Amino acid sequence: MKDQLLSKIHDHTAVVAVIGLGYVGLPLAVAFAEKGFPVVGIEVDGSKVAAVQRGESYVQDIPSERLAALTNDERRTMEGHQPPWHVGGAGVHDLSGHD
């Protein structure tokens, strides 16, 4: 398993998930995507997810053109998703049963 993961990292096929696409998460996700990794951003704020999907940045350090280059091409290097599995209080999610 370790060798399989290292191989996926080496050949940039390992999918990187970034939880939270705020002022730290979005630049981190963009950096991984620009290095060629497929990135899935997970964010509870639906307006941020919609902005990422449109290629529109809401973070000053990431120009929209830079984000759009990663989200609007045919490879869709980077995607944003809003988790559908709310459980109880704010920001608490049940990830069991989800790959």
Side-chain angles (χ1 to χ4, degrees):
M1 186 154 164
K2 176 183 169 187
D3 291 336
Q4 187 178 25
L5 176 59
L6 290 174
S7 176
K8 286 183 176 201
I9 291 170
H10 184 266
D11 64 14
H12 291 84
T13 59
V15 178
V16 175
V18 177
I19 300 173
L21 296 176
Y23 290 96
V24 174
L26 185 63
L28 181 63
V30 166
F32 274 110
E34 287 178 337
K35 292 294 183 185
F37 288 93
V39 177
V40 175
I42 301 170
E43 173 59 56
V44 296
D45 184 340
S47 64
K48 288 181 180 178
V49 172
V52 168
Q53 291 172 339
R54 290 189 308 269
E56 297 173 6
S57 179
Y58 44 86
V59 173
Q60 185 175 5
D61 294 338
I62 303 295
S64 290
E65 298 79 22
R66 188 173 166 196
L67 181 59
L70 300 169
T71 58
N72 295 332
D73 70 2
E74 62 279 355
R75 294 178 315 153
R76 283 192 69 95
T77 307
M78 192 173 131
E79 298 179 9
H81 294 279
Q82 186 174 13
W85 349 274
H86 286 282
V87 176
V92 178
H93 305 284
D94 178 8
L95 301 178
S96 63
H98 295 279
D99 292 335

